[in-house]
Amino acid sequence: MSEENNKSNSYRHVLKYTSVFGGAQGLNILIGLVRNKCVAIILGPSGMGLMSLLNTASTFISQATNLGISFSAIRRISEIYDSGDSKSLLDYISVIRTWSAVAAALGALACLCLGPLLDMLSFSWGNHVHHFVLLTPAVAMTALAGGELAILKGTRRLKELVGLQIVSAVLSLLLAVPLFWLFNYKAIVPVISLMALVNFLPALYVSMLHYPYHTRWSRESLAKGIPIVKMGVAFTVAAAVASGGDMLVRALLSQYVGLDAVGLFNAAYMITITYSGLVFSSMENDYFPRLSAVNTDNGLVAEVVNRQVEVTLLLMSPLLCLLITTLPIAIPLLFSGEFLPVVPMAQTLSLALCFKAVTLPMAYVNLAKGHSRAYMLLECGYSVLFMAGTYISVVWYGLDGIGWAIVIVHAIETLALYVYLRRRFGVSLSAQSLWGMATILLLAAVTFLSCRLAEGWLSWAIGLAMSAVAFLLSFRSLRNKRKA
């Protein structure tokens, strides 16, 4: 390994950029907490449910039509950037922007055509076709923003990416809350489009500072993007199936339980899976380009994966224990008292983070190696299990069973990925990674059981004690790894 690669894959580097992006994500979360608190008070669970349905529909269409450019382009840009060939880099960036425009057009067309179908699947009352049609600008801008962000990630503009996260979060707060206050439910679709706009325009501006905007529509130029699209199609299918699964869960809750249940589920999902981005936010921005750079050497791939897993588990452990313990206070504080019924489900759902901290770094290996079909099959397998598990849970057990279904599916995914990577590439988890996973599972399980079985001060005492133990263990380990 070259000295530069050695430095970029050291524990110090992994911890630094996980912390940098985690800090930016933390600020985003704080801003998001203010925004969601205001929205929850103004709209209530049913309004949050409606916004969740439309948001997941927008995400589904985006994932199904963006050709995977926002992700698949990173690998090739990173390789060209490392080669130092600036002419080839500029040429390839123009190709990415051209194909991003194609993806934006496909997304807009899909929005216009699929409105009636999405309305039928998502709602059992009223006519909401126009809501889905009006998501067209949001889907198109998301595709264009994906291309610009891929350029910045592939060229390692890490500081700019951190700044963009913060700017987008602040602007979304300043725009969303006044609109909801003035127009209530009527502001939901405009706010979704405005949030896409504040993600796209700053990314375009920063990207153009380094690489002037050019598109090339010649047959030769379009042909250069075919490898991106071929790899991206697998990523698109996997992402579309996953977002389709998310949309299905919300649609099932809307049909079988009611719109309030969608809002409750969205609150639980947001505070656990989404807010865990505090730890996971560096994956696509820093980890994936580093993994791509060493993708031909399985020994180095294993080293990069294990270092990322170890750091992720150490950062996740105290956060997870504290989250499970404080959810009875956090949910009404962050949303409103109307959301208290979802606390047990949110506590169960939190356990899935133990497995996600391990599976996420492993899942990137196929993409870094260009094995897009294998990535697609594994991700689609997970999504099918997710949809089957949540369907059974909603129909037979209602909202409370969904948390357990998601935990079980994540555990199965972890085992499947581990077996696959070990047999296919000889990439396996180190003893330190396995020990870290066992530790976080034990601490989280004790915390969870104390919240479910104990009452009053005893529950809080055990939960806070586990959080303190997790913090001390993580702090000591991270301090040692900083020196590595």
Side-chain angles (χ1 to χ4, degrees), residues 194-248:
L194 282 172
M195 290 175 73
L197 182 66
V198 299
N199 284 326
F200 168 56
L201 287 182
L204 177 64
Y205 173 75
V206 172
S207 180
M208 287 177 62
L209 289 177
H210 301 288
Y211 311 105
Y213 195 90
H214 294 293
T215 56
R216 296 181 182 178
W217 295 93
S218 66
R219 181 177 297 181
E220 180 185 355
S221 182
L222 287 169
K224 290 181 180 178
I226 296 297
I228 308 175
V229 176
K230 283 184 176 178
M231 181 179 174
V233 164
F235 181 76
T236 298
V237 171
V241 172
S243 58
D246 286 342
M247 188 173 69
L248 177 65

Side-chain angles (χ1 to χ4, degrees), residues 92-164:
Y92 197 72
I93 286 172
S94 69
V95 171
I96 292 167
R97 285 171 168 160
T98 303
W99 277 99
S100 295
V102 172
L106 286 174
L109 183 63
C111 261
L112 296 173
C113 296
L114 295 178
L117 177 62
L118 293 171
D119 177 46
M120 181 182 69
L121 293 173
S122 301
F123 295 97
S124 59
W125 52 274
N127 186 346
H128 302 270
V129 174
H130 63 288
H131 286 143
F132 294 105
V133 171
L134 290 173
L135 292 173
T136 300
V139 172
M141 286 185 289
T142 300
L144 294 171
E148 301 305 319
L149 289 172
I151 293 166
L152 294 173
K153 290 170 186 175
T155 54
R156 321 285 169 81
R157 305 287 175 180
L158 301 181
K159 291 181 180 178
E160 286 93 334
L161 287 166
V162 171
L164 286 172

Side-chain angles (χ1 to χ4, degrees), residues 31 34 71 85 115 124 160 195 204 278 430 470:
I31 295 169
V34 175
F71 199 89
D85 188 344
S124 59
E160 286 93 334
M195 290 175 73
L204 177 64
L278 187 71
S430 65

